[in-house]
Amino acid sequence: MIELEENLRFLNELNIKLNHIKDSMKINELIQELRKLEEESTKDDFWNDQANSSKVFFFFLSIKRKINGYENIVSELNNLKEMNELLNLEPDQDLLKELLKNSDTLKNKLDDLEIQTLFSGKIHFSPYFLALICCANAFSHQRAHQPRFGKTDVRIRRILALQNALRP
């Protein structure tokens, strides 16, 4: 089926994008940091210093959340690839529609993860971030005069939402 071949190509492109995001997020380094924090939290005197332990625990949860989010997307991508292969063997129109819908949903999740990765760390103090905010503000002003969003404006909406979330 042509739709399944195109979707498999689409999923492979998402896989490449996910690998780039993995490199940007430095997942392997985060996993090592998580292990260090786990070891630190098992020390006998760790919980005696509540100020330090709460900071470390918050950092631990933050890293764990990033890793889990990435791993959930990897798992979902693998499941969609398997579903694609199964539909090649045994076609079903309802499942095909669900597969295509879930593939698009995964792309949106990947776009969100990519944007979050761009806005994490020190990058949001860079000139790139400031230029992006300026573009988002200009788009926001333009949107006030033309309130309709098209499909191509989805990333801009996400950037605006993240911009609002980052404001103090």
Side-chain angles (χ1 to χ4, degrees):
M1 255 186 174
I2 294 174
E3 292 172 315
L4 288 173
E5 290 173 12
E6 289 177 5
N7 192 62
L8 184 59
R9 219 173 292 122
F10 178 71
L11 292 174
N12 286 332
E13 289 172 9
L14 291 182
N15 194 35
I16 291 169
K17 185 175 185 176
L18 186 60
N19 286 332
H20 290 299
I21 292 172
K22 178 184 179 183
D23 293 341
S24 297
M25 289 179 70
K26 301 178 181 175
I27 290 292
N28 295 333
E29 292 175 22
L30 287 176
I31 291 171
Q32 290 175 355
E33 183 68 26
L34 191 66
R35 288 183 186 140
K36 288 179 187 176
L37 292 174
E38 285 175 339
E39 288 175 17
E40 186 177 336
S41 68
T42 58
K43 293 180 181 174
D44 293 334
D45 61 343
F46 173 76
W47 296 103
N48 294 341
D49 182 3
Q50 288 185 348
N52 183 49
S53 62
S54 64
K55 287 179 186 177
V56 170
F57 188 67
F58 178 76
F59 189 54
F60 172 84
L61 290 177
S62 173
I63 291 174
K64 188 138 180 96
R65 197 173 312 120
K66 287 178 184 179
I67 293 170
N68 286 343
Y70 169 80
E71 288 176 346
N72 289 340
I73 289 177
V74 169
S75 175
E76 193 172 338
L77 179 61
N78 290 334
N79 289 341
L80 290 174
K81 284 183 176 182
E82 288 177 17
M83 188 175 180
N84 203 90
E85 289 176 23
L86 290 174
L87 285 173
N88 259 332
L89 300 173
E90 206 173 308
D92 181 330
Q93 286 296 25
D94 293 334
L95 287 177
L96 176 62
K97 288 178 186 177
E98 185 179 338
L99 172 69
L100 297 176
K101 178 184 166 196
N102 290 341
S103 295
D104 286 337
T105 301
L106 181 65
K107 182 192 181 308
N108 292 336
K109 288 180 183 179
L110 216 53
D111 287 344
D112 288 343
L113 183 61
E114 182 179 38
I115 290 170
Q116 288 172 4
T117 302
L118 286 174
F119 288 124
S120 65
K122 299 184 188 238
I123 192 168
H124 56 270
F125 297 112
S126 72
Y128 172 77
F129 176 76
L130 296 175
L132 191 58
I133 295 302
C134 290
C135 290
N137 285 336
F139 181 79
S140 180
H141 177 71
Q142 178 186 7
R143 185 183 65 181
H145 301 291
Q146 298 173 350
R148 294 165 126 200
F149 276 111
K151 285 186 176 184
T152 59
D153 301 328
V154 171
R155 291 186 92 174
I156 299 296
R157 278 191 282 172
R158 290 189 184 121
I159 290 170
L160 290 171
L162 282 169
Q163 176 192 11
N164 290 333
L166 290 172
R167 286 188 178 148

